[in-house]
Amino acid sequence: MVMEISASGVAQPTLPTLYEYYTTGGIKSGLNAGQSYFTLNERNISLYSGAMHYFRTPKQLWRDRLRKMRAAGLNAVETYVPWNLHEPTPGQFDFGSGGSDMQDFLDIETFLKTAQEEDLLAILRPGPYICAEWEFGGFPSWLLRGDPPVKFRTSDPHYMNPVKRFFNALLPILAALQFINGGPIVAFQVENEYGSTQSSTFKPDRKYLRQLRQLYLSNNITELLVTADGVSAHKAAGTLPEFFLVTANFGGNPRSSFDALETIQPGRPKMAMEYYPGWFDHWSELHHTTPDLLLTINLEEILTYPGSFNIYMFHGGTSFGFLNGANVADSLTDNSGFQPDTTSYDYSAPLTEAGNYTRKYALIKSLLAKYAYPKTQIPAPPEVIPRVVYPSIPIREYLPLKQLIDSQSSGLEYASPLPMELLDINNGSGQSFGYITYRKTQLNLPAGSTLKIAANIRDTLLVLVNGVQIAPPLKASADLDNFGFWRQSPSTIQLTNRFLRNATVDLVVENWGRVGYGMITQFYQHKGLWNNTVSINNHTIQNWKHIPLEFKKTWTQKLSGWRPMQTYKSPGLYRGFLSIDSPLADTYVDMRQWTKGILIINGFVLGRYARIGPQQCLYLPSPLLHVGRNEIIIFEHYEASDSIRFTSDQIWETI
């Protein structure tokens, strides 16, 4: 036994690390759930896990977040795997060096090895559907190009063939990192909340679940396979209890869910795969928070049942780029209940978006110090990474939206408006993210001419007549009921109050996030003007030029034609420069003086902002900055500010 000398000079036994405790003497077996408790390598274990998504935190900060999780007393980290990032176009994969804008976030092998170095086990949830308030629930948008349409989350070969291709690329990477092979992975979740798909028109496809299981087995996955559902409501509808350990998702009343698990699988371990310590935000809502005391009550009930848990989220992070998901309150038939998620995925979690400790963190640490077994070495909590408030910088240059559209020579012409996913671009995979412009030229518009869009817009719309934006701005949450947003159907706007000859009309549509949760029918969601008739003065307009504005890094960095700053009342790109000649530090960009749009730092889309809130600032981690001159571009839809301001903390305010 290893001994250490205490301050009093008395020799005391040193606690083993987690891996020392579970691997001393060699590894004979992985996580076992064949009885009422878990064992790992034939030793009893309870899982004290926390969710952290590697794709929501810069790679350079992974170790900081993981060490903080271990310092709280957790023994495992859980993460989803986003298919849409790892296979951005069919057959082209990015696991950290694939050349996509997000490649630095995608080195899953390094993430898992770092977790092991920080003395954490790992639970992997590869989907293929992940929800996660992530764009399209993790599905690649090119699945929507299927002819016939793919039947999502079923054994339909048009769906399963792409799933097999992705899993056959992903799972060999993960197989080598299984606990039995000396790595950190002790469990894999198959699908995700599949029971929630059950409705009067759809029954979960058991053949599909068996096919997914076989994919794991064929790729040498031998660790424990589990499913997760709201079992109090959906029981065993989304699982195969004969093959998978069933786990539960809930935000309260643990005993009810664990009792349901006992009914489904008597005498098996009880685990909360998702226990919610907070919640996520939609634009225009109030910021969600949850009582700290409630977390303590629920976790203690889980621990004493006894059961295991995964806190979802322990560190929420950020949905960088265009990668926020959305919910839908009703159905996608009319899109009126569309609810886009904010860029921040703070989740009111124990570790904030920027990695700060909260009272929830302290409470969890205290509970685990009391209940966790076995006792192993726990590191001291790392210092909080300091944030700075950089000096405000002026807007120096401006690129009008019309000029930006004019500069694009890649426009494609179709008789009727097509959604972005069906454009013949990106090697036949269509457009996933950003904006799409529908342009019609050489129009003679009498005074009082009216534009009519027959069905719901997906999701927001700017209307430019000869370059002048005429759609009403989004300055308050109530404005979402006006023209230019998804709630109206049909919607109309007057284009001009005087006669215009040879006019150009541009309809710029934003994808504000594809829905990532709901019934199967809600996964058929094209963005742009979809199944739509666009008319002027009741005359259907055809032969539109389609111009994608994807804001990919290489494209943005080549933009030219910048003008000296002249106006703040027009949509376009606004550019300023942040010079840093000292050590880099995290910060927040305060967007309260702007209206709605996206912010781009050194060519990388940091995220969306909207004055309506609740999120008012964008987290800017230091790995996205560099010493010297940093370019900041803001695509403002409506009215801009004359400067870019910074703050040290997030600000929550709903307008």
Side-chain angles (χ1 to χ4, degrees):
M1 178 180 291
V2 177
M3 307 293 285
E4 67 176 11
I5 305 301
S6 69
S8 62
V10 178
Q12 295 181 336
T14 300
L15 290 174
T17 68
L18 184 72
Y19 278 87
E20 286 172 346
Y21 183 87
Y22 285 104
T23 64
T24 297
I27 300 174
K28 302 172 185 175
S29 60
L31 188 66
N32 183 282
Q35 56 287 311
S36 62
Y37 50 89
F38 288 116
T39 62
L40 181 64
N41 202 23
E42 302 178 355
R43 295 189 173 196
N44 288 22
I45 188 172
S46 293
L47 292 172
Y48 315 122
S49 176
M52 171 192 168
H53 300 154
Y54 59 96
F55 47 92
R56 279 184 158 125
T57 299
K59 182 177 184 178
Q60 297 88 335
L61 299 176
W62 287 346
R63 189 176 299 278
D64 171 78
R65 308 307 197 253
L66 290 166
R67 185 168 296 175
K68 287 172 178 172
M69 295 174 77
R70 182 64 180 135
L74 300 184
N75 60 14
V77 60
E78 174 272 312
T79 185
Y80 281 125
V81 179
W83 181 7
N84 54 4
L85 291 191
H86 287 297
E87 192 178 4
T89 59
Q92 299 296 315
F93 300 101
D94 191 343
F95 293 105
S97 59
S100 72
D101 284 7
M102 290 292 291
Q103 72 169 10
D104 290 342
F105 293 78
L106 299 180
D107 187 356
I108 187 172
E109 181 177 1
T110 294
F111 175 78
L112 291 168
K113 288 180 176 178
T114 304
Q116 184 169 10
E117 290 166 5
E118 294 303 325
D119 208 27
L120 287 165
L121 304 169
I123 300 169
L124 268 290
R125 303 207 280 170
Y129 163 74
I130 65 172
C131 184
E133 289 69 58
W134 190 250
E135 226 276 343
F136 206 10
F139 286 136
S141 66
W142 45 259
L143 285 174
L144 292 165
R145 296 173 62 88
D147 186 17
V150 302
K151 296 178 181 178
F152 286 94
R153 303 174 74 180
T154 71
S155 56
D156 169 32
H158 295 97
Y159 169 73
M160 278 304 298
N161 288 338
V163 170
K164 290 176 183 177
R165 181 179 63 217
F166 172 56
F167 271 29
N168 287 339
L170 169 69
L171 292 180
I173 298 172
L174 303 182
L177 296 169
Q178 295 178 101
F179 181 83
I180 195 68
N181 294 328
I185 304 174
V186 296
F188 294 85
Q189 182 181 298
V190 178
E191 243 279 349
N192 186 53
E193 297 184 323
Y194 193 47
S196 300
T197 63
Q198 184 171 237
S199 69
S200 60
T201 58
F202 182 84
K203 299 296 181 186
D205 184 345
R206 301 301 178 93
K207 180 181 178 182
Y208 167 52
L209 291 176
R210 287 193 292 271
Q211 289 178 343
L212 287 179
R213 174 177 178 268
Q214 187 57 49
L215 264 177
Y216 281 88
L217 300 180
S218 299
N219 279 284
N220 301 312
I221 300 299
T222 59
E223 297 293 348
L224 182 67
L225 300 181
V226 308
T227 58
D229 268 302
V231 291
S232 293
H234 303 293
K235 310 302 181 187
T239 188
L240 300 172
E242 66 271 28
F243 292 132
F244 307 125
L245 177 72
V246 185
T247 67
N249 296 348
F250 54 81
N253 197 0
R255 183 164 295 278
S256 172
S257 292
F258 282 178
D259 287 349
L261 289 177
E262 179 64 17
T263 300
I264 296 168
Q265 286 184 325
R268 302 291 295 279
K270 307 301 181 284
M271 180 167 183
M273 186 56 74
E274 294 184 7
Y275 166 66
Y276 309 116
W279 203 243
F280 57 91
D281 294 320
H282 297 127
W283 291 107
S284 81
E285 293 180 346
L286 296 176
H287 173 54
H288 287 87
T289 59
T290 54
D292 298 337
L293 179 60
L294 187 62
L295 176 141
T296 302
I297 293 170
N298 287 326
L299 281 185
E300 193 156 28
E301 189 168 324
I302 291 171
L303 290 165
T304 57
Y305 188 88
S308 294
F309 63 74
N310 175 55
I311 296 172
Y312 187 97
M313 298 291 298
F314 196 88
H315 170 57
T318 310
S319 300
F320 293 107
F322 299 106
L323 291 162
N324 65 277
N327 286 72
V328 62
D330 301 309
S331 73
L332 281 177
T333 303
D334 62 10
N335 208 48
S336 61
F338 177 67
Q339 300 168 308
D341 300 321
T342 58
T343 297
S344 172
Y345 199 58
D346 181 85
Y347 217 90
S348 190
L351 282 179
T352 69
E353 179 181 25
N356 277 23
Y357 301 108
T358 67
R359 188 164 182 266
K360 289 176 182 174
Y361 181 96
L363 291 172
I364 292 167
K365 184 174 176 62
S366 177
L367 275 173
L368 290 178
K370 176 181 178 181
Y371 287 105
Y373 178 84
K375 299 301 180 184
T376 56
Q377 287 184 28
I378 303 295
E383 294 294 323
V384 172
I385 295 175
R387 294 188 296 280
V388 303
V389 180
Y390 291 108
S392 296
I393 59 174
I395 296 297
R396 297 292 188 187
E397 296 171 315
Y398 167 62
L399 188 60
L401 180 54
K402 180 182 183 300
Q403 181 179 330
L404 176 66
I405 298 169
D406 290 344
S407 70
Q408 303 306 299
S409 59
S410 58
L412 304 170
E413 188 165 308
Y414 299 95
S416 300
L418 287 184
M420 58 174 56
E421 298 86 355
L422 299 187
L423 298 187
D424 189 17
I425 61 173
N426 294 322
N427 297 319
S429 62
Q431 179 182 352
S432 294
F433 311 121
Y435 303 76
I436 180 171
T437 300
Y438 302 90
R439 168 167 281 189
K440 186 65 180 178
T441 59
Q442 298 181 328
L443 289 168
N444 292 328
L445 301 177
S449 290
T450 299
L451 172 77
K452 180 180 179 180
I453 299 182
N456 298 79
I457 298 155
R458 297 186 178 177
D459 300 304
T460 76
L461 173 67
L462 300 175
V463 179
L464 279 64
V465 180
N466 290 336
V468 178
Q469 206 287 113
I470 63 170
L474 179 62
K475 292 187 174 182
S477 298
D479 294 334
L480 292 172
D481 293 323
N482 296 338
F483 176 90
F485 304 98
W486 58 84
R487 293 178 181 173
Q488 283 198 3
S489 178
S491 55
T492 61
I493 191 172
Q494 182 176 303
L495 295 175
T496 178
N497 57 13
R498 60 186 179 89
F499 179 80
L500 297 177
R501 186 181 299 279
N502 291 330
T504 295
V505 172
D506 291 312
L507 307 179
V508 184
V509 184
E510 173 196 21
N511 164 14
W512 205 349
R514 293 184 182 87
V515 172
Y517 179 82
M519 295 180 292
I520 292 296
T521 55
Q522 294 173 354
F523 288 93
Y524 299 93
Q525 45 183 307
H526 297 79
K527 293 296 185 178
L529 299 180
W530 171 236
N531 283 340
N532 225 319
T533 299
V534 180
S535 61
I536 297 177
N537 299 330
N538 295 318
H539 174 70
T540 299
I541 305 299
Q542 295 183 312
N543 300 319
W544 291 87
K545 188 174 183 180
H546 295 54
I547 304 169
L549 302 174
E550 298 179 280
F551 287 96
K552 291 181 178 179
K553 190 172 186 177
T554 54
W555 177 85
T556 303
Q557 291 179 328
K558 292 178 181 178
L559 291 175
S560 60
W562 292 93
R563 304 177 181 181
M565 192 57 238
Q566 293 176 335
T567 179
Y568 302 107
K569 299 296 185 182
S570 301
L573 307 186
Y574 294 80
R575 183 160 73 167
F577 300 95
L578 173 64
S579 294
I580 305 176
D581 57 7
S582 57
L584 302 174
D586 291 3
T587 190
Y588 278 91
V589 187
D590 186 346
M591 303 306 297
R592 286 178 294 171
Q593 303 303 312
W594 297 75
T595 312
K596 174 173 169 32
I598 61 173
L599 186 145
I600 304 165
I601 178 73
N602 295 322
F604 178 79
V605 178
L606 189 66
R608 310 178 200 265
Y609 65 90
R611 183 66 186 96
I612 61 174
Q615 177 183 351
Q616 297 295 340
C617 304
L618 287 168
Y619 173 51
L620 175 51
S622 62
L624 301 179
L625 298 166
H626 52 245
V627 173
R629 192 172 84 156
N630 294 267
E631 178 191 63
I632 300 180
I633 296 174
I634 298 177
F635 174 29
E636 170 59 56
H637 295 191
Y638 304 107
E639 297 178 7
S641 175
D642 62 353
S643 63
I644 301 171
R645 299 171 174 83
F646 301 90
T647 184
S648 59
D649 294 289
Q650 182 61 266
I651 297 169
W652 305 104
E653 183 181 42
T654 302
I655 306 298

